[in-house]
Amino acid sequence: MEYYGSHISRLIEALNGLPGIGVKSAQRLAFHIVGMPKEQVKNLAEALVSARENVHYCRECCTLTDEELCPICRSEKRNHRQIMVVENSRDLAAYEKTGRYDGVYHVLQGAISPMLGIGPSDIRLKELMQRLQGDVEEVIIATNPSLEGETTATYISKLVKPTGIRVTRIASGVPVGGDIENIDEVTLERALMGRVEL
Ligand code: ZN
């Protein structure tokens, strides 16, 4: 990409290093950025740096937050005896948007994946087990219905069961508008096992 000059090449390369941004998108973004008003670019750069410097993991649930404890862990209105285990902060946000859950969360920051070399010690499982020494009634496992998510769910349920704490798994089935033949067997099996009487 020498024909772009080193400054813009460096910007394209940096953007290309982000997840989901291919070379073409990186080029489009880079040219957009160099055409933006300088003040706006400065704002963007400062937002990036300040987010990186000020955001860290909640001491309790390991979600990303500005404070030592996230607003959910701080809240007295939440049921702290019910913990929903999710893979990342985006999943937490998705469940929060439903407005139907008043327990707290535990964010694993990943899922077990033997294929990618991600083992149980690479996600926030130790922190979860420490929390279970407190007053906890139920652990709801809400990892994704993918191979990694299922592997993680099985692993966690084996860890939690000996403690006597109730372990549940969210029901997940065929998505509305989904085509059964294009749905993998894990999803279908779960859909079948989680079936209800009509
Ligand atoms: Zn928290």
Side-chain angles (χ1 to χ4, degrees):
M1 272 178 280
E2 272 316 300
Y3 38 89
Y4 285 149
S6 64
H7 288 292
I8 199 145
S9 294
R10 184 180 161 205
L11 180 57
I12 292 170
E13 245 169 68
L15 291 166
N16 187 209
L18 298 171
I21 309 279
V23 178
K24 274 189 185 167
S25 301
Q27 288 180 17
R28 201 168 49 235
L29 286 170
F31 285 115
H32 179 79
I33 290 166
V34 294
M36 273 160 62
K38 277 187 188 166
E39 203 48 41
Q40 223 177 311
V41 177
K42 218 172 154 192
N43 241 332
L44 174 65
E46 276 167 13
L48 290 172
V49 174
S50 106
R52 182 59 190 91
E53 275 174 1
N54 296 304
V55 174
H56 51 254
Y57 297 114
C58 170
R59 196 185 63 205
E60 189 86 1
C61 73
C62 304
T63 195
L64 293 167
T65 178
D66 287 359
E67 314 275 339
E68 205 181 329
L69 274 179
C70 75
I72 296 169
C73 288
R74 269 205 315 265
S75 171
E76 283 172 17
K77 288 185 186 137
R78 310 292 296 228
N79 176 5
H80 290 259
R81 301 169 80 181
Q82 194 176 39
I83 300 176
M84 185 192 284
V85 181
V86 293
E87 290 183 24
N88 54 54
S89 297
R90 294 189 305 278
D91 293 351
L92 177 155
Y95 283 105
E96 276 303 283
K97 270 187 210 142
T98 69
R100 301 290 295 272
Y101 178 66
D102 70 349
V104 292
Y105 296 90
H106 189 83
V107 183
L108 294 171
Q109 300 296 346
I112 297 170
S113 171
M115 258 180 35
L116 295 171
I118 301 168
S121 60
D122 297 315
I123 58 175
R124 304 291 180 123
L125 270 179
K126 199 177 72 213
E127 289 86 346
L128 174 65
M129 294 315 288
Q130 271 163 8
R131 287 179 78 183
L132 299 189
Q133 288 171 8
D135 186 13
V136 178
E137 268 172 6
E138 182 183 3
V139 173
I140 304 165
I141 306 175
T143 51
N144 290 326
S146 61
L147 181 62
E148 290 80 9
E150 292 298 337
T151 307
T152 309
T154 309
Y155 191 89
I156 293 174
S157 87
K158 277 184 189 155
L159 277 183
V160 178
K161 269 184 187 156
T163 66
I165 296 167
R166 185 174 175 220
V167 193
T168 55
R169 175 90 171 105
I170 52 153
S172 71
V174 182
V176 176
D179 203 343
I180 301 259
E181 68 174 357
N182 295 325
I183 292 165
D184 64 281
E185 63 247 273
V186 180
T187 307
L188 285 181
E189 195 188 326
R190 292 197 65 82
L192 187 62
M193 280 160 42
R195 68 191 186 277
V196 292
E197 299 292 339
L198 290 175

